[in-house]
Amino acid sequence: MKILNYGSLNYDHIYLVDHIVRPGETLSSSEISVRAGGKGLNLSIALAKAGMEIYHAGMAGEDGTELLGILREHGVHTEHISIHAVRSGHAVIQVDGQGENSILLYQGANGKNSVEKIKKVLSCFSEGDVLLLQNEINLLRELMEIACEKGMKVVLNPSPMNENVTSCDLSRVSLFILNELEAGQLVGETEPEQMIAAMRVKYPEAATVLTLGKAGSIYADGERVCRCPCFPVEAVDTTAAGDTFAGYYLTAMLCGREVGECLRTASAASALAVTKRGAAPSIPYYKDVEEFLRSR
Ligand code: RIB
């Protein structure tokens, strides 16, 4: 079984601020850094750091050498990433004193995938392989369609949520990993228990992992519901906490671990991620996650 993550690659321009800038306000930041990010790249790095062999597909711009380099440094296969003659995707991220963030995205090369390219990439994968998707690239719907026709399993982290996601045939998804905001937008509920119930009704063939920040996480499929508390830590930057959770959950799941253990490992990994600044650089290695779990 091969794992393909078809997703975004971004340069994150991270500004430390006292508070997130308000409409009409001009605010100085105390620090800036430029790091690798993008929900796609972060997820590939989380899977790789968790010990999984992973193929990343997508588009980088002509300035994307460092993004590919970082993936390769972590052992991610990059032969399905093409270079397009535009700028790479980038994000402007403000991180405040409480570790909360706000993100402004520029899609850049991430929006330049063609049907021809996705067919070519997917021709290298087959029945039983897994396709991971987030929502920072174009042609999400076509990717799901072609992958399902081939018998691949589709795992969707519908982040950031918008009509690009809701216009897809989401009955093709085997597993959703999403947060409260995203679940609310998909099923129109406000309470976690109702969201889980509504996901079961709307997507009866799919399993759902709902992340609830400080309230932990919930897994549900047709047979069981499993809950996991979060690990309280001092957060300095919550960027990529969701990507880290998803990468570690999937790795544990694909290694055949019990659902409760998958949730616990993913929660520990995302707890560690929020104690460090940045997106990809904040994702912990498996040995650190193991050590953290042993210490609890
Ligand atoms: O999930 C965090 C990511 O969201 C950042 O790395 C940024 O690039 C945006 O895509």
Side-chain angles (χ1 to χ4, degrees):
M1 179 195 54
K2 291 201 281 189
I3 322 290
L4 170 65
N5 180 25
Y6 207 126
S8 60
L9 304 100
N10 292 340
Y11 283 108
D12 287 351
H13 298 248
I14 306 163
Y15 299 85
L16 295 192
V17 290
D18 174 60
H19 59 268
I20 307 294
V21 70
R22 300 183 186 110
E25 183 184 25
T26 301
L27 184 68
S28 292
S29 66
S30 57
E31 205 181 303
I32 178 178
S33 53
V34 181
R35 302 258 191 272
K39 294 187 193 302
L41 179 146
N42 297 339
L43 185 58
S44 284
I45 288 188
L47 283 149
K49 283 184 164 177
M52 188 56 71
E53 180 171 18
I54 173 87
Y55 293 80
H56 190 107
M59 293 291 232
E62 285 174 326
D63 57 350
T65 320
E66 279 173 47
L67 300 173
L68 268 74
I70 282 164
L71 285 170
R72 285 187 193 125
E73 263 171 40
H74 288 88
V76 176
H77 297 277
T78 57
E79 62 268 31
H80 299 302
I81 302 175
S82 316
I83 302 294
H84 199 281
V86 291
R87 288 182 67 168
S88 293
H90 79 247
V92 174
I93 305 182
Q94 299 175 55
V95 179
D96 74 10
Q98 280 68 52
E100 292 299 337
N101 65 39
S102 90
I103 302 181
L104 173 69
L105 274 179
Y106 172 71
Q107 196 179 34
N110 296 311
K112 300 295 180 191
N113 292 286
S114 62
V115 171
E116 194 191 357
K117 174 177 164 79
I118 64 179
K119 282 188 175 159
K120 192 169 165 214
V121 171
L122 291 179
S123 72
C124 301
F125 295 84
S126 45
E127 189 172 355
D129 290 342
V130 177
L131 172 66
L132 313 178
L133 296 169
Q134 316 78 38
N135 184 30
E136 288 185 339
I137 58 167
N138 64 325
L139 301 182
L140 212 54
R141 185 202 325 205
E142 290 78 357
L143 272 160
M144 280 185 203
E145 257 169 43
I146 302 169
C148 279
E149 276 160 20
K150 295 177 71 77
M152 291 177 76
K153 288 205 176 333
V154 177
V155 176
L156 177 65
N157 175 212
S159 183
M161 176 65 83
N162 59 29
E163 60 291 344
N164 194 34
V165 172
T166 46
S167 68
C168 293
D169 177 0
L170 297 179
S171 67
R172 299 179 189 276
V173 175
S174 300
L175 171 65
F176 291 92
I177 303 180
L178 74 184
N179 65 27
E180 261 175 301
L181 209 70
E182 293 148 3
Q185 285 170 275
L186 262 193
V187 294
E189 297 289 348
T190 51
E191 292 305 316
E193 298 299 330
Q194 287 158 6
M195 286 172 186
I196 282 287
M199 288 291 291
R200 292 286 325 126
V201 172
K202 198 164 175 185
Y203 309 110
E205 303 303 323
T208 298
V209 176
L210 179 64
T211 59
L212 303 166
K214 288 183 178 146
S217 51
I218 310 179
Y219 169 94
D221 63 18
E223 289 159 16
R224 67 206 142 148
V225 176
C226 182
R227 294 178 178 77
C228 181
C230 83
F231 293 96
V233 288
E234 188 103 351
V236 298
D237 183 357
T238 54
T239 313
D243 310 331
T244 305
F245 184 101
Y248 268 84
Y249 182 87
L250 284 168
T251 303
M253 182 193 92
L254 295 168
C255 291
R257 306 253 174 78
E258 282 298 310
V259 170
E261 200 186 334
C262 298
L263 291 177
R264 197 170 136 77
T265 309
S267 302
S270 64
L272 281 172
V274 304
T275 62
K276 281 200 185 153
R277 292 233 163 90
S282 73
I283 300 169
Y285 282 95
Y286 185 63
K287 68 172 175 37
D288 299 320
V289 176
E290 266 189 318
E291 200 178 305
F292 178 84
L293 282 168
R294 264 199 304 273
S295 71
R296 300 285 143 158

